[in-house]
Structure formats: structure tokens, C-alpha cells
Amino acid sequence: MPVSIRRLLVALTLCCALLATTTACGGDDSDSAGASATAATPTTSAERQKFAKTRFVTNAGLAAGATYQWIVKPWRAGKFKSGADGRRLALVKAGLAGTFAYNRLKAATRNAQSDPTLAKAVAPLTAGIDALKDLPSKLRKGDTSVVGSFDDVINQVKDAGKSAGAEVTDKVPSASQLTSG
């Protein structure tokens, strides 16, 4: 039985709203791998910088992995085109992955500010990262050109990390990480 477009849009909007409130309630910029609140905190500035690079690499890697797995690959495969098989599911996954990646990129930016070299490399990218928050609504409207810009920002963050000595590799997040923010 076909589902009406209106029901699909309502379901997608509710999923995105639920994910946004879940990620907003999370609040910490840990590496999203379940670090506890009682974890040791760095005491020297050298330790803070080391942990900042580690968290930056982890957060940026998760954002890159989610973007590639659930946004770029389906886009290249034509899953977002009108009438494509699995389009609805691909759009829902892309919306969740986009929200997750945006959240992780913002956390990576905060991490980069603790390291002088990373801060200089990532500072020019903040405007591009902020522009990504409209991805889910643009995809719903059929604007798939935003996928290319999302991929470009991810690659710029990876290049900035590499130039600062913090090479970022794609890490595909688990489904529980996607939904928990």
C-alpha cells in the first residue's frame, strides 16, 4: 500500500526533530564512543592539545564516514532521484546522517580550538560547516546539489586536519551512534 508524500514528509520531519533534540540534549563533545563523565581530564597544555587532536580526528572521521556511507554513495547511485527504488529510505538515512555529521563537525571544530595548529587550519571552514545544517530540508525539496557541497566541506576538513598533523580517516558510525548523536 503506497504511503502518501505528506505522511512521508511528516515522518521525516519527526525523525529529524527527534534526532536534533536527542543530539542537543547530549551536550558534551566527547568522541561519541561512550566516554564516561568520570574520565580523567588532561592537566597540562600539551596533554590538552594531544587530546584535542585525538577528539578532532575521531569526530571528523565519524562525520566523514556517515557522509560517505549514507549521503554521497546513495547520491552517486541515483537513490535521491524522483521515482528511484528505495528513495524514501535513502532520504531518511541521509537526513539522519546529515544531522549526525553536522553535530560531529561542530564538535570537531570545538576540539580544534584547543590546538593552535588545528585552530588555524580549521578556522576558515566554520562558515562552510554552518551552511550544512540545512541539508535535510534541501534534500526533502529535491535539491541534491547540496550533497556535493557537503562532500566538499568534509574533504576540506580532512585536508585541514592533515595539514595540521591530524590525519582524518573515514569511520562509519553504528546505527546507535547515529541515533544517539
Side-chain angles (χ1 to χ4, degrees):
M1 182 158 104
V3 177
S4 72
I5 297 296
R6 181 176 290 164
R7 283 187 182 175
L8 175 65
L9 290 176
V10 170
L12 183 59
T13 303
L14 289 174
C15 287
C16 290
L18 180 62
L19 182 64
T21 56
T22 303
T23 57
C25 294
D28 71 338
D29 63 349
S30 66
D31 65 357
S32 207
S36 68
T38 60
T41 58
T43 56
T44 66
S45 64
E47 286 177 337
R48 275 189 224 108
Q49 287 178 5
K50 179 182 176 188
F51 289 129
K53 277 188 177 183
T54 302
R55 287 192 302 239
F56 170 81
V57 167
T58 301
N59 284 321
L62 286 169
T67 299
Y68 182 74
Q69 183 69 29
W70 290 296
I71 298 173
V72 175
K73 266 176 56 176
W75 174 60
R76 288 182 181 160
K79 292 281 188 178
F80 298 149
K81 291 181 181 175
S82 183
D85 262 357
R87 179 176 188 254
R88 292 177 190 150
L89 184 60
L91 285 172
V92 169
K93 287 179 181 178
L96 287 172
T99 304
F100 175 82
Y102 173 75
N103 180 287
R104 293 297 89 205
L105 285 174
K106 293 298 278 183
T109 304
R110 286 190 302 272
N111 298 141
Q113 292 169 352
S114 298
D115 182 82
T117 310
L118 270 174
K120 289 177 188 171
V122 175
L125 304 176
T126 24
I129 292 170
D130 287 338
L132 299 178
K133 90 174 139 182
D134 295 331
L135 172 80
S137 65
K138 288 182 178 180
L139 280 176
R140 276 194 310 266
K141 292 176 185 173
D143 181 9
T144 58
S145 65
V146 74
V147 174
S149 64
F150 207 103
D151 194 31
D152 290 343
V153 170
I154 292 289
N155 289 329
Q156 289 171 356
V157 169
K158 289 167 96 174
D159 291 342
K162 187 175 183 177
S163 71
E167 191 162 345
V168 176
T169 56
D170 291 6
K171 296 177 186 173
V172 178
S174 67
S176 64
Q177 285 176 316
L178 267 183
T179 57
S180 69

